[in-house]
Amino acid sequence: MSSSLRMGSKDPTVVDTAHGRLRGSQVDGALRFRGIRYGQSTAGARRFRRPLPAPAWAGMLDANSWGPSAPQPVLAAYSEPFYAWYSTIEPISEDCLFLNVVTPAADGRRRPVMVWLHGGGWRNFSASAPGTDGTLLAMQEDVVVVSLNHRLGALGFLALGQDDDRFADAGNAGLLDIVLALQWVRDNIAVFGGDPQNVTIFGQSGGGAKVAALMAMPAAAGLFHKAIVQSSSGGLRVASYGEATGLAQSLADNLGLDHADGPALQNVPLDALLIAIQKTPGYFRPSIDGRTFRTDPFFTSAPQISNDVPLMAGCTNTETTYYMRRNPESFHLELSDVESRLADFLQLDAAAASRIVEAYRDLGMSARPSDILVAVTTDYLFKRNTYRMAALRYGAAAPSFAYVFAWETVVENGQLRSPHTSELPFIFASADTARALVGHTCDIEPMTKTMMATWAHFARSGNPNNPTLPTWRRFGEADRPVMALRPESELLADPGGDARATLDGLAFYEYSRSRDDFWSVNPARRSGAA
């Protein structure tokens, strides 16, 4: 299909795609195309069904406005400046299969393509967040940046069984949306100045889990060539078939239906469906269905189909301070409080919890009890899973590189240090937009240069080494080198690994267990928990 594309328009803001002609806009020296339809509406008779490609159109379409965000609950907390740079969405609609492209020029160049998959677990947020706008990344690093919306929550991941072929893919429809978007990139990105044979998928938090899932999907094989997993917590596994179908039945019960019947659920008004989804305990996410997935993505081994895809994976150094700020008391705990919370959350007896705390105290005898809490929970919820992905690929044809983002923010008296999401304003050069998270200090500009260069070099070559960093070796069995990304970056041998090893007997965290469980334990000693 891509061989038929034309690139001869005199207007630099106009491109001829495989589906029709588009007009974008020129902003800050970049060309920006927003709200490009890549799939047909998933409303009405298409709800819960496999996505279909967008039809061709005649004439010129303007691509200057964001497409609708996928249906999701809109929480008041997300309008707070600390979150809004990341969580702001457009009006929601089931007709949400739209993507966005930013490019330095729609010419005949073959630039690296970076496809951003937004976070928010599998149920929140969108590609239109102001803090993840790809304009400056595209311009400063000469890459093409693509972002996209796809179905979320039960609308994207409701397992309706195999009895009706129309709904056999409902449990993984949101991932199939992403595959359809990647097919669009393959067929169209050349007219935007991108190289369809050099596509990197990258995502943070839930977006990192999406990257991990795509690495294990036969349907996605060959549609991307490099992968970056950032702060993935539950990305090793997807839901079992039993868990997924049980959750679908729970939703049906909340709607007064005898069973999870596709046609009946299609007739439920969207508002009523969203209310029922919020009332349903559990986590709608991809599942093993014998079609999209037959096994878990990274459990117990790495997916062989992505053996030749270079991987970069890492976390922020203190991920869980992002959640602890909901209850400031969490930063001022006694050691006994920490041990009790960890025993409850990790489902351990008091002696086992105490042994873990002692191991982490050895990392720094001057550490406050709350610092130990941050270290253990960050390791359990994030670092352990993310580095596991890199470790499982040891010996693969393509290398894996591991990092920890260790730059520290000064906001809120510096107690957050390196919280969840804090690397993103540096990758997208959006620190001004995200000032409520990262503050305003003299090291932001050089840190931004380092992060943008590192992500772009990896997208360009599959190797993140660049002049802003010391030599970065691939992640291996011997010393498990991890690049500490900070104003003076340093390659470290398995930082914190000895303490983290005390968690080895625990099951790896997955999305079926809410992170909110941690902040709800020991309510008698806490107040205001979210």
Side-chain angles (χ1 to χ4, degrees), residues 128-216:
S128 55
T132 56
D133 184 300
T135 302
L136 293 177
L137 176 59
M139 284 302 299
Q140 295 186 28
E141 296 297 335
D142 196 33
V143 297
V144 178
V145 180
V146 178
S147 60
L148 62 103
N149 289 340
H150 60 87
R151 283 173 285 181
L152 300 169
L155 288 159
F157 305 102
L158 185 67
L160 294 178
Q162 308 295 316
D163 294 338
D164 187 333
D165 189 62
R166 292 174 298 172
F167 302 102
D169 292 307
N172 291 298
L175 275 173
L176 294 173
D177 294 344
I178 300 175
V179 170
L180 183 62
L182 291 172
Q183 291 170 342
W184 185 97
V185 168
R186 176 196 62 198
D187 296 338
N188 292 282
I189 206 65
V191 299
F192 296 90
D195 184 355
Q197 297 303 315
N198 189 7
V199 175
T200 297
I201 54 174
F202 70 124
Q204 184 268 348
S205 192
K210 296 167 193 175
V211 172
L214 289 165
M215 292 181 74

Side-chain angles (χ1 to χ4, degrees), residues 74-99:
V74 180
L75 304 181
Y78 291 153
S79 63
E80 182 186 342
F82 184 86
Y83 303 108
W85 64 274
Y86 185 73
S87 60
T88 298
I89 65 172
E90 298 298 303
I92 64 173
S93 171
E94 288 191 74
D95 186 8
C96 63
L97 302 189
F98 294 87
L99 56 76

Side-chain angles (χ1 to χ4, degrees), residues 44 119 232 269 350 353 398 466 512:
S232 174
N466 68 88
S512 57

Side-chain angles (χ1 to χ4, degrees), residues 328-342:
E329 183 183 313
S330 297
F331 292 98
H332 307 285
L333 300 175
E334 300 296 331
L335 196 61
S336 59
D337 292 318
V338 172
E339 291 180 345
S340 180
R341 289 191 184 203
L342 290 174

Side-chain angles (χ1 to χ4, degrees), residues 69-79 87-90 92-93 120 122-126 152-155 270-271 273-279 284:
S69 297
Q72 59 190 277
V74 180
L75 304 181
Y78 291 153
S79 63
S87 60
T88 298
I89 65 172
E90 298 298 303
I92 64 173
S93 171
W122 298 96
R123 57 190 179 188
N124 293 110
F125 306 153
S126 78
L152 300 169
L155 288 159
L270 178 61
D271 289 346
L273 184 60
L274 289 176
I275 291 172
I277 291 169
Q278 286 187 271
K279 291 180 179 178
F284 294 99

Side-chain angles (χ1 to χ4, degrees), residues 411-431:
V411 304
E412 303 187 13
N413 298 317
Q415 66 183 2
L416 302 180
R417 297 171 61 193
S418 307
H420 191 60
T421 76
S422 59
E423 83 277 27
L424 293 177
F426 299 91
I427 297 167
F428 289 97
S430 59

Side-chain angles (χ1 to χ4, degrees), residues 34-54:
R34 289 178 170 172
I36 304 172
R37 180 182 291 278
Y38 71 87
Q40 297 180 26
S41 174
T42 55
R46 297 304 310 173
R47 182 188 281 180
F48 304 123
R49 298 183 65 183
R50 191 181 187 93
L52 295 176

